[in-house]
Amino acid sequence: MRIGAVVLAAGASTRFGSPKALAELDGRPILEHVLDAVREAGIDDIVVVLGHAAEEIEDGIDWLDERIVRNPDPRELSSSLQIGLDAIAEAEPPVQAALLVLEEAECGLTVSQCAAQGEHSEADAAQQQQPSVGHRESRQHDD
């Protein structure tokens, strides 16, 4: 089964005070850790939905080949979700499933656990919680 990922990073982060996607963890933006964890789970087709602070986030992340889409009105989470699902539906070759990931997902279950296609029940997955911090081999900015 071919799985794609939709990473939702369009929120305003008003309570946080700055874009959560750019908050540093071990010297790197959280969003980079999340994208690395998605790749380590064997998911190569990744769509990232940006909204508030999109330009700042685009400039602050060392992107690989993730597809970036923008939500022009990200006040509702459902609109970002719809934009991300529409984008992943255009993947070639097509994906049969989409994993939804929040920009701060690094704090919960590992992405590989979520992508395990139901091999474990939710109770089993909850018992196996462990943080996963990946590292990117190469980073390039498209200028």
Side-chain angles (χ1 to χ4, degrees):
M1 175 183 288
R2 187 164 149 69
I3 300 174
V6 175
V7 179
L8 301 175
S13 303
T14 53
R15 292 178 300 204
F16 193 74
S18 62
K20 284 188 279 186
L22 297 177
E24 292 213 352
L25 175 65
D26 295 331
R28 297 176 38 223
I30 286 176
L31 182 56
E32 285 185 11
H33 290 281
V34 170
L35 296 172
D36 289 342
V38 170
R39 287 210 185 280
E40 287 174 6
I43 299 171
D44 295 321
D45 202 331
I46 304 169
V47 170
V48 180
V49 183
L50 300 179
H52 295 284
E55 288 182 25
E56 185 179 352
I57 294 170
E58 277 193 60
D59 291 344
I61 299 296
D62 288 328
W63 302 100
L64 296 177
D65 62 351
E66 300 88 0
R67 287 186 291 149
I68 301 166
V69 294
R70 289 191 182 197
N71 182 351
D73 187 15
R75 290 178 287 177
E76 298 292 328
L77 177 65
S78 61
S79 64
S80 293
L81 179 58
Q82 187 61 57
I83 288 170
L85 290 174
D86 289 346
I88 201 72
E90 297 172 0
E92 285 298 329
V95 299
Q96 287 78 40
L99 178 68
L100 302 176
V101 183
L102 300 177
E103 64 190 335
E104 68 272 12
E106 197 63 34
C107 302
L109 293 174
T110 63
V111 174
S112 57
Q113 287 171 325
C114 294
Q117 299 181 26
E119 291 180 21
H120 302 287
S121 69
E122 286 185 18
D124 291 338
Q127 290 176 352
Q128 297 175 16
Q129 281 188 344
Q130 54 183 316
S132 172
V133 178
H135 299 283
R136 301 183 152 231
E137 292 180 18
S138 67
R139 299 173 204 208
Q140 297 179 12
H141 284 283
D142 292 334
D143 295 320

